[in-house]
Amino acid sequence: QVQLVESGGGLVQAGGSLKLSCAVSGRTFSTYVMGWFRQAPGKEREFVAAIRWSAGTTYYTDSVKGRFTISRDNAKNTVYLQMISLKPEDTAVYYCAGSRRIPYNTNYYPRSSSYDYWGQGTQVTVSS
């Protein structure tokens, strides 16, 4: 069992920055890939970014490339999402997710079904 706890959300003006954190506890050895998803009211959950824990390789959805950076700190068992140049359309609840079974194939990274563990979410609101 793996527990994920997000933090760092808040209210920011367009063009501003936020850094989200996801603390991983429990059987961390079973988590091979960490991802960030987001969900706005009335919309489906969408993929944002993912990172392979051991290698640090990353994958992003097109809408956040160049603005968001996913990273991890192995010693702290924490994954981060650094967000800059935020836009109102980035407003959503951001969820951290972990997977123990994603193949080394980027086709699987954006799929919610690829992930086994989910955090409770942290609200990010970007005002214009």
Side-chain angles (χ1 to χ4, degrees):
Q1 187 66 40
V2 173
Q3 295 82 44
L4 310 177
V5 180
E6 304 95 333
S7 62
L11 175 64
V12 65
Q13 293 182 346
S17 302
L18 282 174
K19 188 173 184 178
L20 307 183
S21 298
C22 176
V24 184
S25 62
R27 294 186 174 183
T28 58
F29 64 87
S30 67
T31 303
Y32 302 136
V33 175
M34 298 295 298
W36 285 98
F37 289 75
R38 64 187 182 186
Q39 186 169 22
K43 297 184 179 180
E44 296 295 320
R45 179 173 51 192
E46 65 174 348
F47 172 77
V48 177
I51 184 169
R52 286 200 166 269
W53 194 266
S54 59
T57 53
T58 58
Y59 180 79
Y60 300 91
T61 192
D62 287 342
S63 64
V64 306
K65 288 181 179 177
R67 299 191 299 120
F68 291 11
T69 302
I70 188 171
S71 62
R72 86 278 194 254
D73 186 325
N74 291 341
K76 295 182 178 180
N77 290 324
T78 301
V79 63
Y80 304 96
L81 185 68
Q82 176 67 62
M83 306 182 293
I84 65 171
S85 302
L86 283 163
K87 305 174 181 179
E89 51 262 44
D90 295 318
T91 296
V93 177
Y94 283 70
Y95 296 92
C96 182
S99 176
R100 63 178 186 270
R101 54 189 169 85
I102 297 182
Y104 194 70
N105 186 326
T106 57
N107 291 335
Y108 291 88
Y109 282 60
R111 303 179 184 181
S112 296
S113 60
S114 296
Y115 296 84
D116 305 293
Y117 311 103
W118 295 85
Q120 64 182 19
T122 185
Q123 177 71 50
V124 172
T125 302
V126 184
S127 64
S128 59

